[in-house]
Amino acid sequence: MDNNTIWLIVGFVGQALFSARFLVQWLASERQKKSVIPVMFWYFSILGGSTLLVYSIHKEDPVFILGQAGGLLIYARNLYFVVRHAKQEQTAGTSE
């Protein structure tokens, strides 16, 4: 397998991970019969976004790099809020 094929696989895997977040969100919303964003949405966003960032750096595409890097900051911040909120609820639940 040549280098170009490996990088194409990396790009397609990143895109598949990134796209999977919408499938996760859609299925969670269907189960709850309302629009929700499950925690796995943020994990898939980070995994897919990171893989696509690596791919875009390899391709030396500044537009793609900026878009993925900016998105990763937002995904990480949202995941931080989710984890922090869960810890606060857990702490509040144990102190009662």
Side-chain angles (χ1 to χ4, degrees):
M1 196 174 323
D2 70 347
N3 198 31
N4 286 336
T5 302
I6 291 170
W7 280 107
L8 277 175
I9 291 169
V10 169
F12 280 120
V13 166
Q15 190 60 54
L17 288 168
F18 197 72
S19 296
R21 69 195 192 131
F22 294 113
L23 180 62
V24 166
Q25 191 272 332
W26 173 57
L27 292 173
S29 293
E30 286 295 326
R31 282 189 195 112
Q32 294 190 29
K33 303 294 184 212
K34 65 179 183 176
S35 182
V36 296
I37 300 176
V39 176
M40 285 307 297
F41 178 90
W42 300 116
Y43 284 111
F44 273 107
S45 297
I46 290 170
L47 285 170
S50 297
T51 307
L52 288 172
L53 178 60
V54 168
Y55 179 76
S56 65
I57 290 169
H58 169 73
K59 291 303 231 176
E60 299 178 0
D61 184 330
V63 174
F64 201 11
I65 291 168
L66 183 62
Q68 291 304 319
L72 282 171
L73 293 173
I74 294 166
Y75 311 145
R77 184 71 172 158
N78 278 308
L79 187 57
Y80 165 77
F81 286 138
V82 169
V83 170
R84 186 179 78 177
H85 180 74
K87 284 182 182 178
Q88 287 174 344
E89 283 188 342
Q90 185 180 17
T91 302
T94 59
S95 65
E96 293 176 6

